[in-house]
Amino acid sequence: MKIQKLIYTAAAAALTVSSCSKDFLEEKMYSSYSVDVNDVPAKIIGLHRQFAALWGWSDSQGFVGCFQDGTDVGAPGDVQGVEIPFYQYATLTSENPGINHLWSSLYSIINNANIIISTEGVLPADKAEAEFFRAYSYNLLVTLWGKVPLVVENTSTPRTDYVREDIAKIDELITSDLTDAVANLPEVDKTATQNRINKDCARILAAEAFLRMGKNKEAEDIVSPVIDEGHYSLIQERYGKFLSDNGDYYSDMFRWGNQRRSQGNTEGVWIFQMEYNNTVPGGTINAPQQRRNWVAAFHKLSGMVNADSLGGRGNGRLRLSNYVKYGVYQEGDVRNSNYNIRRKLYYNKPGFQETIWIDADGFKVAEGTAGATQITVKTGDLVHWSVADTLAVMYPHCTKWGGYDVTDDFGWSLVKDWPLMRLADAYLLRAEARVMSGNAQGAADDINVLRDRAFKTFRAESGNAEAGKVSAADMSIDFILDERIRELVGEENRRYTLCRTGKLADRVEMMMTRFAEGVDEKKITGFDANVHTLLPIPLSEIQLNKDAVLEQNPGYK
Amino acid sequence: MSNIGETENFGVEFTLNTHNIDKTNFKWASSFVISTNKNKIVDLYGDGMDDIGNRWFIGEPVGVVYDYEMVGIWQEDEIERGEHLNWDPEAKAGDVKLRDVNGDGKITPENDKTIQGQTTPKFTAGLTNTFTYKGFTLSVFITTVQGLKRNNSLLAARSDEMGRRNFTTEVGYWTPENRSNEYSSLSKSANRNEYKYPSDASFTRIKDVTFSYTFPQRLSDAMHLGAVTLYATGRNILTFTKWKGWDPEADMAQRGFSNYEKNYPMTKSVVFGMNITF
């Protein structure tokens, strides 16, 4: 619908000069949205670029939090603002900038994909890549908004008569796009470059879409080859260029320089590549804010300086929920090691020494506080922070989005690859499909593959070979959702997953009653299951659509 | 492409050049220009309906600011008395207080926005005064732009970006002690309806001042030169405006938004020079 706005802008320009003679306005169009087959390769790169511009958006820095806050995964830290209505639900309106951005970006991708798909003579693999992006966009739209307009043709003239289409119709398109994409996309290692969409990306997306549609058998069938064809393997050993740094085999996957298949990541299915803009023009698109959201602002503590090994400078906009921090991990899970969910810090400023007061729990308190102990800390010692610091400065945080750019110590853009799909997703989706179709044992088998990796070190060290093992009796959709947190926290769009599985209301209820934040302004409030399981349609879209009614979702004004 | 509407334009421009004093040694000349232009939308799509999506309204100028109307800041006692409950139930003390235009007891973007002003000036004017006394010349150009509004992104952002933006202390944000009725608190949710702070961007500016001295011919002859002029000229010397921030004409996009790296304040410059002809 961006194109529509462009045309309107042009029309507005014409309007302002309408007092001139009429023939002045006769215009010959020298170009239009071209459908030349030779442009297709560039247009496909354009789709990737649009995808990056969607999720790397920096206009509203808290955008990342819109999909985590107000769920069972995220809790507000030092928020920017756009994400506030996603946990103070009563304040969510149809003018939220994050909602506008997501909606218009997805329809922009759809329109450009439509142009590629309808191009005469387009190669099947190129068409398949466009279909992947179109299906991705519609799947996200339908999951988050419900019925949405269905646009399958190149929009070359302004349209103001969109109506919402039944979900079943949109699902038909998603199904046919993904079926075609799976059939025609190249296998991994056969794509033009390793960042391009391969067959397995489409399989994973299709499994998500089929699960949402309730087609559990189809989901299992389409995702199984990702596991069975043997192109990927779970990372079980340390690898890559950071072997001399502290870390573990799981954290190695999330260091920039280690993330790509060519860099040793045998697990990555869709890794979105980023580069420094000064070495590759356009290498980083917009200014990705993931680190600034996910990483705590511990640079504010005295005795701490920004460091590559700590993932650079975070802003602490987004914290992990009490559920993630205290409710999901078992002892020995590598995914909860201090390299992956960082709970401890060590002073790293050279030559640092300070005398501080700490309480019985180890929190820093004011000098002379009753019952407090005075201690001297220095470089290399465990860091103590105050209770108030746990709201933004330092708290257990996910390290997957850590990244440090020596030329930007302040840490604006995150220059780092994005881990979008990996083999673990395929196991989780197949386990979910098996749970939903009553095959609990099959699901447990898949989960145990992930557990064998996650508890590998602990089993060896503790001698308990059964640590972390699950059985068929453990399996349920809730278990799968929890395992998704354990494996994919920080990577998955949690709001999307909860809406896809119909569990948002349940999980919000759980958070509000059993894992609520301690401070009022950080709590989830105002949630209405009849309203907030769908997002509002952007008001501007409704108002621009003057020749038909684009109905708003219930409860939004 | 087709025409989607019709506009009406009416403008007047008036220039007055005067020689107020014209004596041998002292001269004073003035040049005054004033212009005004009114445009309005007469018709859209032929159906007599406004196009709110594009912010086009029949009978109004093409460029308008369409936003909430801020009527103050929510104060603690008002919240305690529950005045917000049937107005803006989510409001907290220090939040922007917006007019509930349709009186439905809540603030909604669909029902509570109205036209807050126009984006083009109602009139602009300029005045140049030139004074000449013997070899001295003083020329002063003053310009004024009146009657337009612009969104003030600095007020909307309410952040000094860790000292990367200047000016914020001047604002006087709401605190329980400083009960501003004009500027909200710095709470992240104080402006949750995304009110854009359309502000009066009118200004009057001493745009150019030039002071010069031309040596008498006999002196330049003695130096074997054609003509010698010494001058000092200043640009953007002084601006009178109610606008908060750098300048009503300067762009100041919030960080992260398109073109924010091109933010640049209005510059003031003073140049000293000498013109010599041979």
Side-chain angles (χ1 to χ4, degrees):
Chain A
M1 300 205 171
K2 204 165 211 168
I3 286 175
Q4 188 189 325
K5 280 184 194 151
L6 276 176
I7 292 167
Y8 269 124
T9 312
L15 192 71
T16 59
V17 294
S18 63
S19 58
C20 310
S21 66
K22 288 263 192 255
D23 62 334
F24 182 80
L25 293 170
E26 295 300 325
E27 214 174 325
K28 183 166 159 38
M29 301 284 266
Y30 287 101
S31 74
S32 60
Y33 297 95
S34 146
V35 286
D36 187 336
V37 72
N38 295 318
D39 297 343
V40 165
K43 284 177 182 155
I44 290 176
I45 302 303
L47 290 177
H48 286 261
R49 191 196 182 286
Q50 284 185 291
F51 179 87
L54 163 54
W55 296 112
W57 196 48
S58 65
D59 294 29
S60 293
Q61 297 178 26
F63 182 61
V64 169
C66 299
F67 308 95
Q68 310 291 341
D69 281 320
T71 73
D72 52 357
V73 161
D78 187 5
V79 292
Q80 172 259 328
V82 69
E83 68 275 52
I84 295 176
F86 290 85
Y87 59 90
Q88 294 178 356
Y89 280 97
T91 65
L92 187 59
T93 74
S94 54
E95 283 202 326
N96 179 275
I99 287 176
N100 280 325
H101 172 67
L102 181 59
W103 174 283
S104 59
S105 302
L106 291 173
Y107 272 106
S108 242
I109 292 174
I110 288 168
N111 192 55
N112 289 356
N114 285 341
I115 293 172
I116 296 168
I117 293 164
S118 61
T119 299
E120 214 168 301
V122 62
L123 296 172
D126 289 345
K127 182 167 168 240
E129 198 158 355
E131 286 168 331
F132 170 84
F133 280 103
R134 184 164 75 173
Y136 170 88
S137 303
Y138 273 121
N139 184 50
L140 199 49
L141 283 162
V142 163
T143 310
L144 296 177
W145 276 276
K147 293 162 68 172
V148 292
L150 181 62
V151 190
V152 294
E153 303 288 333
N154 172 12
T155 308
S156 54
T157 53
R159 269 189 65 186
T160 49
D161 60 348
Y162 291 101
V163 291
R164 299 177 68 175
E165 186 57 83
D166 285 339
I167 292 173
K169 284 266 193 265
I170 297 165
D171 281 348
E172 270 174 35
L173 180 79
I174 293 170
T175 305
S176 69
D177 273 356
L178 289 174
T179 308
D180 198 58
V182 169
N184 293 307
L185 279 167
E187 283 181 12
V188 64
D189 298 328
K190 307 240 166 79
T191 51
T193 52
Q194 62 174 327
N195 53 322
R196 296 284 289 272
I197 305 301
N198 63 51
K199 207 183 267 300
D200 299 312
C201 305
R203 285 169 168 154
I204 286 175
L205 177 60
E208 290 177 9
F210 289 159
L211 282 166
R212 174 179 55 76
M213 298 174 203
K215 296 178 177 171
N216 305 316
K217 176 74 171 54
E218 288 86 341
E220 179 172 349
D221 290 347
I222 204 151
V223 80
S224 281
V226 181
I227 299 164
D228 298 340
E229 285 178 357
H231 295 301
Y232 309 93
S233 60
L234 295 178
I235 298 292
Q236 314 256 9
E237 300 291 341
R238 293 209 60 186
Y239 73 95
K241 60 188 281 196
F242 301 103
L243 293 176
S244 58
D245 284 8
N246 291 327
D248 52 42
Y249 54 87
Y250 193 80
S251 67
D252 276 342
M253 265 193 290
F254 301 99
R255 299 282 301 267
W256 194 47
N258 260 10
Q259 296 179 280
R260 299 173 191 174
R261 197 168 165 86
S262 60
Q263 293 164 338
N265 182 1
T266 56
E267 193 169 331
V269 176
W270 186 15
I271 305 293
F272 198 101
Q273 298 179 11
M274 294 286 180
E275 299 286 353
Y276 284 130
N277 279 330
N278 57 7
T279 49
V280 179
T284 297
I285 292 144
N286 205 328
Q289 297 291 304
Q290 280 82 349
R291 179 199 61 248
R292 292 162 61 89
N293 276 274
W294 285 102
V295 178
F298 49 79
H299 63 87
K300 291 179 179 169
L301 299 169
S302 61
M304 293 305 299
V305 291
N306 295 330
D308 189 8
S309 57
L310 293 178
R313 182 180 173 281
N315 282 47
R317 298 206 181 285
L318 174 61
R319 293 178 303 136
L320 294 175
S321 72
N322 287 334
Y323 191 55
V324 179
K325 284 184 286 192
Y326 313 119
V328 294
Y329 288 106
Q330 275 172 254
E331 187 189 6
D333 194 329
V334 73
R335 300 169 297 188
N336 183 34
S337 79
N338 202 51
Y339 301 115
N340 297 308
I341 307 278
R342 188 184 294 122
R343 296 167 190 258
K344 292 179 196 158
L345 269 180
Y346 300 90
Y347 292 109
N348 70 348
K349 188 178 184 177
F352 170 76
Q353 184 169 323
E354 195 174 88
T355 300
I356 60 168
W357 294 73
I358 57 168
D359 67 11
D361 297 323
F363 286 111
K364 199 171 164 183
V365 290
E367 186 180 341
T369 303
T373 320
Q374 189 182 20
I375 60 166
T376 298
V377 289
K378 57 182 193 313
T379 310
D381 290 350
L382 201 60
V383 177
H384 295 271
W385 50 86
S386 72
V387 172
D389 285 337
T390 63
L391 289 179
V393 175
M394 181 55 198
Y395 44 79
H397 58 271
C398 167
T399 61
K400 287 172 180 169
W401 292 103
Y404 182 73
D405 173 358
V406 284
T407 65
D408 177 24
D409 187 66
F410 176 79
W412 172 231
S413 301
L414 172 62
V415 183
K416 180 180 191 174
D417 298 347
W418 298 353
L420 297 171
M421 291 178 179
R422 53 190 174 93
L423 180 59
D425 287 74
Y427 279 109
L428 285 162
L429 289 166
R430 190 167 72 178
E432 184 179 331
R434 287 174 170 178
V435 164
M436 299 310 285
S437 52
N439 175 8
Q441 188 55 51
D445 293 344
D446 277 341
I447 297 297
N448 275 327
V449 175
L450 299 178
R451 292 300 182 94
D452 288 347
R453 180 263 290 278
F455 288 84
K456 180 174 166 261
T457 308
F458 183 72
R459 284 175 189 169
E461 286 170 358
S462 66
N464 175 6
E466 295 301 301
K469 279 248 160 66
V470 298
S471 68
D474 298 323
M475 292 299 105
S476 67
I477 183 66
D478 279 301
F479 179 93
I480 299 291
L481 286 174
D482 290 349
E483 191 69 14
R484 289 187 69 90
I485 295 178
R486 289 182 278 262
E487 187 67 43
L488 300 174
V489 61
E491 295 168 82
E492 81 168 331
N493 178 327
R494 189 62 173 179
R495 181 171 299 280
Y496 159 73
T497 298
L498 294 179
C499 290
R500 169 174 77 71
T501 52
K503 297 292 278 187
L504 179 64
D506 270 19
R507 290 281 162 149
V508 168
E509 163 82 11
M510 175 185 82
M511 293 307 299
M512 290 174 77
T513 54
R514 292 170 49 211
F515 293 94
E517 289 292 310
V519 178
D520 278 351
E521 68 198 39
K522 306 287 181 192
K523 285 178 176 162
I524 300 178
T525 58
F527 184 82
D528 179 345
N530 297 316
V531 176
H532 299 117
T533 46
L534 292 176
L535 298 178
I537 294 191
L539 181 60
S540 57
E541 296 295 333
I542 293 174
Q543 289 177 335
L544 285 166
N545 196 57
K546 64 180 192 61
D547 296 320
V549 179
L550 203 52
E551 265 173 64
Q552 184 55 280
N553 275 325
Y556 292 108
K557 270 270 190 155
Chain B
M1 180 181 277
S2 63
N3 282 328
I4 55 175
E6 207 177 300
T7 60
E8 192 179 279
N9 262 288
F10 176 75
V12 177
E13 190 168 325
F14 177 75
T15 308
L16 184 68
N17 292 315
T18 56
H19 295 273
N20 309 322
I21 296 174
D22 196 358
K23 296 195 172 154
T24 319
N25 279 338
F26 184 66
K27 294 182 203 305
W28 172 25
S30 299
S31 171
F32 177 69
V33 184
I34 185 166
S35 68
T36 173
N37 182 57
K38 257 180 129 158
N39 76 71
K40 69 176 182 186
I41 297 173
V42 177
D43 176 49
L44 284 170
Y45 319 109
D47 60 3
M49 303 276 281
D50 294 336
D51 182 344
I52 301 174
N54 284 304
R55 306 296 191 242
W56 293 330
F57 302 88
I58 291 170
E60 298 290 338
V62 174
V64 292
V65 176
Y66 181 74
D67 204 340
Y68 298 103
E69 182 188 343
M70 192 177 98
V71 293
I73 301 296
W74 285 103
Q75 304 296 332
E76 282 177 324
D77 55 334
E78 295 169 334
I79 300 287
E80 267 166 39
R81 289 197 298 271
E83 284 177 24
H84 63 299
L85 295 174
N86 194 30
W87 182 334
D88 185 3
E90 301 300 320
K92 296 183 185 69
D95 285 5
V96 170
K97 189 200 275 180
L98 304 169
R99 194 155 82 85
D100 180 12
V101 175
N102 72 337
D104 66 348
K106 53 193 170 208
I107 300 298
T108 58
E110 225 169 324
N111 298 318
D112 296 323
K113 290 190 172 184
T114 48
I115 293 163
Q116 297 297 312
Q118 60 183 67
T119 57
T120 48
K122 288 186 177 154
F123 74 90
T124 60
L127 173 67
T128 306
N129 277 304
T130 308
F131 306 93
T132 315
Y133 175 71
K134 292 188 175 168
F136 294 96
T137 303
L138 174 68
S139 172
V140 181
F141 171 50
I142 300 171
T143 179
T144 190
V145 174
Q146 297 293 326
L148 76 165
K149 279 193 171 175
R150 271 184 85 187
N151 291 336
N152 191 324
S153 71
L154 190 65
L155 292 178
R158 297 169 307 127
S159 162
D160 76 343
E161 299 264 8
M162 304 182 64
R164 290 175 166 214
R165 284 167 168 257
N166 32 19
F167 146 87
T168 41
T169 52
E170 184 192 323
V171 174
Y173 292 103
W174 185 95
T175 63
E177 294 74 36
N178 179 41
R179 295 178 200 160
S180 170
N181 206 30
E182 219 178 332
Y183 301 106
S184 70
S185 77
L186 288 172
S187 152
K188 297 279 170 71
S189 57
N191 183 24
R192 82 199 113 70
N193 286 301
E194 307 271 337
Y195 173 66
K196 300 282 197 301
Y197 286 86
S199 306
D200 188 351
S202 304
F203 67 91
T204 299
R205 196 193 309 281
I206 302 179
K207 185 80 185 164
D208 283 304
V209 177
T210 303
F211 182 62
S212 65
Y213 176 66
T214 304
F215 283 74
Q217 193 64 39
R218 57 185 171 80
L219 276 178
S220 29
D221 284 349
M223 291 183 281
H224 305 289
L225 295 169
V228 180
T229 303
L230 288 173
Y231 66 89
T233 178
R235 180 145 256 252
N236 299 328
I237 296 302
L238 200 56
T239 302
F240 306 92
T241 180
K242 289 184 201 149
W243 181 262
K244 296 260 182 187
W246 279 344
D247 188 275
E249 283 192 310
D251 283 325
M252 200 174 186
Q254 287 172 43
R255 185 145 64 104
F257 283 70
S258 329
N259 291 330
Y260 85 99
E261 283 162 320
K262 299 184 179 80
N263 286 342
Y264 204 75
M266 188 63 67
T267 54
K268 186 184 284 191
S269 62
V270 179
V271 175
F272 297 95
M274 189 193 286
N275 268 343
I276 301 173
T277 55
F278 297 96

